[in-house]
Amino acid sequence: MTGYFRARTERWLLSLRDGFVSLLPLTMFGVVAMLLQHFPYQPYLSFLNSLFGPGWRDVLERAVAASHGVFGLALSVVVAVHLNGRLSLLSDEDDTPSPLMVGLSTLINFMICVLYAPEKDGGFGYEAMLLGILVGIASAELLHWAARQRWLTLVTVPLDADKMLYQALRLSLPVFFCGALFMLANGLLRQLPVTYHPLAAFAEWAELQSFGDVLATSMATLVNHVFWFIGVHGGHVLDAYGSDLFSPAEHPPGSGLAWRPLFDAFVLLGGAGSTLGLVFAIWYAVPHGSQRRIAMLGLFPSIFNINEIILFGLPVVLSPIYVLPFVMVPLALAALTLLALQVGFIQLQPAGIPWTTPPLISGWLLSGSWRGAALQAVGIVLSTLFYLPFVRLAEAERKHHQEEVYRKALALIQAETPSRDRITRRRDEVGRMARKLLDELRAGIDQGQLSLLYQPKHDRNGVLVSLEALICWHSPNHGRIPAAVAVNLAEEGGCIDRLGDWVMREACACKARWNALGHGYLSLAINVSPTQLGAADFAPRLAALLQHHGLASHEIEIEITESEAIPDEKGTNATLQALENLGVLLSMDDFGMGYSSLLHLRRFDIHAIKIDGSLTRDVLSNSTNADIIRAITSLGKARNVEIVAEFVETGPQRDALLAMGCDLFQGHFHSPPLAEADCLPYFERQGACARLAADAPALPS
């Protein structure tokens, strides 16, 4: 039972976090409007007054109300929708409530709560965030429960009816039932005594103590930050329920209670949580990544003590990593400020300055000297140092999570399944990672991040006869990425022609350089995707490259990969025929595990077939694979086709494949893929070995 509630709570918290992140555009709109409205620069204010008259503030106030004024309502709906998605994954039923129905039910329930609430508690904005969270979670859970109750599904709708009509009619009674329960709950809650000043008794007691300002400031800091941490605007909570903790602004500080100008200017450096220090810690410790991007985006608003972008974007809200510094840093700054006030380092005077006044400026104005600005600077440095280890911990966790997503994306991209070609269309983290890799690949083609490696092929006597050009992609963010990932992404992303053209240009240029050094006897295989074969100018472009580099057609072998089915179209067939007429050798890669390997033997003239590595790897231990390889070699001999075995790693494996009829061998047993600079020494060594073998005396029979 404990595990059940823990799992449920985790889904609620994740849905709440996703809800805050989803509302970031709404937050940004309000933040910009608020900053324009309260920008603490008198020439700016005077200019707008002269240009638009005093009414320009009202326009911006309506913009703030249009965003922040509906935040609680919007939060309830998006939290319910996110939770609905997680609850639907737990259900085996096909007709779980749709996001639209859950959102509609939540909207009704929220309006019931607001309209039935006392006038002081009514509202749709930040003051209703806690209500929005509770209503969103309760609505999703309740509607999922109600939808499963047969006594609430009195309306029978055929399963083959329109989907929207089916959902609307089937869920009408459950939605009504949930709304009725919310009305009943609100009626019962209204009968309970409500205390609008729950902290009044604490404030009265603190004021009688010799260190009442410490107690009141600490309590205000805790209330503000505990509520902010769960996503509820702590400032509004203090305004509504904690005003007794503060002495009037016109009174001097140190009058037995907290003082709001001191609290705003010296405790909330950058906003709730003193997050200006967090921004600087991220800037110092995180060179790139999502944390740094969000911190840089939130830097300018944070200077004016507006930090919703940081709180909801990182997010700090509900983050177990940031909870400790988020609460402790403001408490430490409050203690430091009160100590500085007590020992006489600063003297603060009643002053009316906007809460958006940046740190250093506000300290100077409140203290009338450099001491106030210096105290704020010390506070920013201390908060930065305090946040620093937590920033590094958060970054380490982010990188670990990203690495897991990266590995999962790589596995799916390389998978030989029909689902692989849909990975960049996915809307989850894996899909975003695949799209990110695709963008990096496109940039890599243009920016020289790709190179070619060359893997030797040896014949039955161990003589080097040819090589295969392989893509080497080194991502600046992920290091070496398998060639199959590059090819599959390029096919799906529509840039396979660009990638293929680059490979052919580089490979042909390299082959020409080898020929100039006396190695024209070696052929070079170039992998080509079936997608490339559909281009009418593929064969002419290859012919032009051969002519440009002075290469004979038989020196180049085109290996057709079966990452996708080879289209049975006139254009593809014409390209294949043109390649045959050109005299280029054609071979089939990954034979035996592709889409339609056997059919290709009758479609075009094949020079060689390469047995898929999944068959050759465990040929010594898997008798079925051995039988398949024997069948392929028999077929190849009957068709006068060379048989190439790839992923040959050991001598016994090579001997077994040789006995089964394979002609050429490629793999680490002979050589791993080599850079061009390493190929020439390898050629010389292989030539020397061949000469020694030729000069050796024959063994007596």
Side-chain angles (χ1 to χ4, degrees), residues 443-467:
I445 297 173
D446 298 329
Q447 298 172 7
Q449 295 173 2
L450 302 179
S451 60
L452 289 181
L453 298 178
Y454 302 91
Q455 186 162 35
K457 298 179 186 177
H458 291 252
D459 66 10
R460 301 172 66 88
N461 298 316
V463 177
L464 175 66
V465 293
S466 64
L467 298 97

Side-chain angles (χ1 to χ4, degrees), residues 286-309:
V286 182
H288 52 75
S290 60
Q291 272 204 116
R292 185 179 180 90
R293 288 193 295 271
I294 292 173
M296 294 301 100
L297 185 64
L299 174 60
F300 185 73
S302 293
I303 293 174
F304 300 93
N305 304 309
I306 300 172
N307 65 346
E308 280 86 348
I309 293 175

Side-chain angles (χ1 to χ4, degrees), residues 13 35 76 81-82 131 191 210 225 252 257 279 288 292 327 334 346 412 419 441 465 480 508 522 586 637 644 653 692:
L13 293 177
L35 184 57
S76 67
V81 169
H82 282 296
L131 175 65
Q191 306 305 315
S210 59
H225 289 80
L257 290 174
V279 171
H288 52 75
R292 185 179 180 90
V327 176
I346 57 171
L412 290 175
S419 62
L441 175 62
V465 293
R480 180 79 173 271
C508 289
L522 298 172
L586 298 179
K637 300 304 180 185
V644 183
Q653 179 192 11
L692 287 175

Side-chain angles (χ1 to χ4, degrees), residues 188-271:
L188 294 175
L189 290 174
R190 290 190 65 183
Q191 306 305 315
L192 300 177
V194 179
T195 301
Y196 290 113
H197 298 279
L199 297 173
F202 178 86
E204 291 177 3
W205 172 78
E207 194 171 12
L208 299 176
Q209 310 304 312
S210 59
F211 48 92
D213 55 346
V214 176
L215 293 172
T217 304
S218 299
M219 178 59 74
T221 303
L222 280 172
V223 170
N224 183 66
H225 289 80
V226 167
F227 275 94
W228 259 119
F229 184 74
I230 62 173
V232 179
H233 197 299
H236 288 309
V237 173
L238 287 177
D239 291 339
Y241 305 110
S243 57
D244 296 293
L245 294 171
F246 297 98
S247 59
E250 63 273 10
H251 289 190
S255 57
L257 290 174
W259 195 52
R260 194 60 182 259
L262 180 149
F263 182 78
D264 290 339
F266 291 92
V267 177
L268 307 182
L269 295 172

Side-chain angles (χ1 to χ4, degrees), residues 491-514:
E491 287 175 341
E492 186 174 343
C495 58
I496 188 64
D497 287 331
R498 286 173 53 200
L499 179 62
D501 286 348
W502 176 86
V503 170
M504 287 199 301
R505 289 196 305 270
E506 292 293 314
C508 289
C510 179
K511 183 65 171 69
R513 290 190 289 270
W514 290 343

